[in-house]
Amino acid sequence: MAISPIGKKVTKQHCVLFLLIAVGFVFGSFARSAPQASQELHRSTKAREHLSAVAEVTWWSLDPTGYHPAVLVKIENTSGKDLSGQLIRLQGRFMDVQSGMVTVARKEIRQAFVPGQEIYIALRAPQPYQLPIDVNAWPQMECKVMCRVGNVGDEGTQTLIISKLESVTMTDDDAYQKLSKVLEFRQVPEDEGYAPDKQEHKTAPVKPLKASAASLRTPTRVKAASHPASNHKSIVSYVCSHAMPGIGDDFYFFEKTYGLPAATDSSQSSWCWASYTKTNPRMTVFTGSKGVTGKVDVLMLELPALEVKDESTLIAVGKSLSGKFKAQKLSNPTRSVRYLSVGRTQLVTFAAPSYQLTYLTPRGTSTDNKTYILILSKPAGPIETILAEQTKLSPILHQFSSFFSPR
């Protein structure tokens, strides 16, 4: 049967119409699925981000074999989860920018690591270099620190920092001291600027990590107007208003108050050291036990100078940390001055029948950084003699070494 011209025309129009509808349907589905796919990718990427580097120091470290590229990173648990006991593998990749040669430092840790807690990780390249006298002739090195949390493969690798190695030589003690004065930052991955929901807070686009993009991070104590100042506890008020474990108590009671230690060091047969942290107030207590008794013989605490009105404040905090010896009366203070690499340091010591209370006057150059170092100790003899040795032997105490021995 022949089809009329009109029939042919109608059939072609229908075909074109069906084709346009089909194309529109395909593009519409893609447009609807693209944001969802991007959002899923963003969530997947965020799920892999467990840690954040908040401060770092790079330098050349000297040993008998030569100079080694080194980095010290302060890392915060920003996962929102308790990572205590999980295997964390860290890698420091040091690349000579001119020759392309790479040397890699590796470290594995498994320790207490609660949300918001910060730890220090030092990585030193195994390959030694012989540096010339002319600093301008030193190798230009790029430092990249990566980590993996748990039993994950390449897909779980997270980059913490990418930085240029500073052309300076320092000891490990110098590096810890320098890091304590560094303003905290956070390197932001470029996909954090994505916000699929218009009601969500939008972050301005940032440059890729390879461009060393970084944003200043507001310290927790002044972090947000949405967190009232009344929510922030002072160390002095917290310690003086709570039943605190102290000198002579077992490590068990410190775990009951602070949780598992942030770090421990039992590498010596004569001393065992552990540090405990709190987030509110932000404080770290350093404890040492002589031998394997599990009883605390030395306790150290830093107190911001802004919280200390006078010497009576330090005595009150010391009494709260004196454990079972709280009722013992303190003697009149003995004052002594030392001239060290950190400057003039004054030691003030009070003696009780079973322990000593010692404090070092404020250190630091700015009001925010000035702190007292409060020390309670059971061993007989000058505590500075004990700490002069232990701050060099135990990595937990490295940051205090400059205050107990000349350089």
Side-chain angles (χ1 to χ4, degrees):
M1 180 176 64
I3 299 177
S4 66
I6 296 177
K8 290 182 179 181
K9 184 176 180 180
V10 171
T11 301
K12 290 179 180 179
Q13 289 175 343
H14 286 178
C15 290
V16 172
L17 179 60
F18 290 148
L19 180 60
L20 291 175
I21 291 174
V23 172
F25 177 79
V26 171
F27 277 98
S29 299
F30 176 78
R32 288 190 299 271
S33 62
Q36 184 178 358
S38 298
Q39 185 174 354
E40 292 299 324
L41 176 62
H42 174 70
R43 289 174 180 171
S44 176
T45 302
K46 292 294 292 178
R48 295 196 300 268
E49 294 170 7
H50 295 287
L51 311 178
S52 295
V54 296
E56 51 92 2
V57 171
T58 59
W59 77 101
W60 289 92
S61 177
L62 177 64
D63 72 2
T65 64
Y67 290 92
H68 302 256
V71 60
L72 177 63
V73 190
K74 184 191 291 186
I75 300 174
E76 180 181 349
N77 177 0
T78 53
S79 67
K81 301 178 181 178
D82 188 348
L83 302 180
S84 300
Q86 288 205 37
L87 175 65
I88 301 176
R89 289 170 286 176
L90 298 115
Q91 183 181 108
R93 183 177 179 273
F94 302 91
M95 183 181 71
D96 188 325
V97 177
Q98 295 175 329
S99 68
M101 293 183 62
V102 175
T103 177
V104 178
R106 294 179 175 86
K107 178 174 288 188
E108 294 185 355
I109 62 172
R110 195 190 294 269
Q111 64 176 65
F113 204 11
V114 298
Q117 181 181 333
E118 294 176 346
I119 61 175
Y120 296 85
I121 298 296
L123 296 164
R124 193 176 76 154
Q127 176 67 39
Y129 289 78
Q130 300 302 320
L131 301 179
I133 296 176
D134 184 5
V135 176
N136 296 321
W138 290 8
Q140 298 299 307
M141 307 292 292
E142 180 186 79
C143 171
K144 181 178 182 180
V145 177
M146 297 169 286
C147 73
R148 292 180 184 176
V149 179
N151 296 318
V152 296
D154 292 342
E155 75 285 351
T157 301
Q158 181 187 345
T159 298
L160 296 176
I161 65 164
I162 299 177
S163 178
K164 176 185 175 183
L165 193 79
E166 293 294 324
S167 296
V168 296
T169 61
M170 291 191 294
T171 65
D172 291 351
D173 295 339
D174 292 332
Y176 277 94
Q177 289 297 325
K178 184 174 180 180
L179 187 65
S180 67
K181 301 176 183 178
V182 171
L183 180 65
E184 292 187 353
F185 67 89
R186 179 173 282 112
Q187 289 194 347
V188 184
E190 56 182 322
D191 62 352
E192 283 196 2
Y194 176 77
D197 190 344
K198 291 182 180 181
Q199 278 73 37
E200 293 182 1
H201 173 72
K202 293 187 177 181
T203 306
V206 295
K207 298 179 181 179
L209 279 177
K210 63 183 180 181
S212 298
S215 59
L216 289 179
R217 174 188 174 220
T218 306
T220 303
R221 60 177 177 273
V222 292
K223 202 170 226 182
S226 60
H227 296 279
S230 59
N231 288 343
H232 171 68
K233 303 174 184 176
S234 73
I235 297 176
V236 170
S237 62
Y238 174 79
V239 172
C240 292
S241 62
H242 289 73
M244 305 296 294
I247 286 293
D249 288 332
D250 194 277
F251 284 136
Y252 170 80
F253 296 103
F254 285 83
E255 289 189 358
K256 292 285 286 183
T257 299
Y258 301 101
L260 292 175
T264 60
D265 174 27
S266 56
S267 59
Q268 306 174 59
S269 59
S270 56
W271 282 90
C272 176
W273 293 94
S275 63
Y276 300 87
T277 63
K278 278 190 67 66
T279 55
N280 189 17
R282 184 177 289 272
M283 59 183 285
T284 301
V285 176
F286 300 86
T287 59
S289 175
K290 190 173 183 180
V292 291
T293 64
K295 308 294 184 182
V296 172
D297 297 302
V298 174
L299 185 152
M300 298 175 62
L301 173 67
E302 285 190 277
L303 289 172
L306 293 175
E307 293 190 19
V308 180
K309 295 181 179 179
D310 50 35
E311 193 169 78
S312 62
T313 302
L314 297 165
I315 294 175
V317 174
K319 284 281 191 180
S320 295
L321 297 173
S322 59
K324 62 186 74 174
F325 309 121
K326 188 177 297 185
Q328 294 187 4
K329 185 177 180 180
L330 294 172
S331 68
N332 291 327
T334 300
R335 305 179 191 274
S336 180
V337 170
R338 303 287 185 274
Y339 301 112
L340 304 173
S341 61
V342 292
R344 180 184 181 276
T345 301
Q346 182 180 177
L347 283 82
V348 182
T349 302
F350 300 83
S354 302
Y355 74 100
Q356 289 182 345
L357 169 61
T358 304
Y359 72 84
L360 276 68
T361 50
R363 60 188 181 91
T365 55
S366 67
T367 303
D368 290 338
N369 289 333
K370 284 187 177 179
T371 59
Y372 287 87
I373 301 176
L374 187 68
I375 307 160
L376 287 90
S377 57
K378 280 185 63 179
I383 185 60
E384 61 178 316
T385 303
I386 297 171
L387 291 178
E389 176 186 20
Q390 292 301 311
T391 54
K392 291 188 178 297
L393 294 177
S394 175
I396 292 179
L397 304 178
H398 273 339
Q399 58 185 300
F400 301 111
S401 62
S402 300
F403 300 95
F404 298 100
S405 61
R407 304 299 292 274

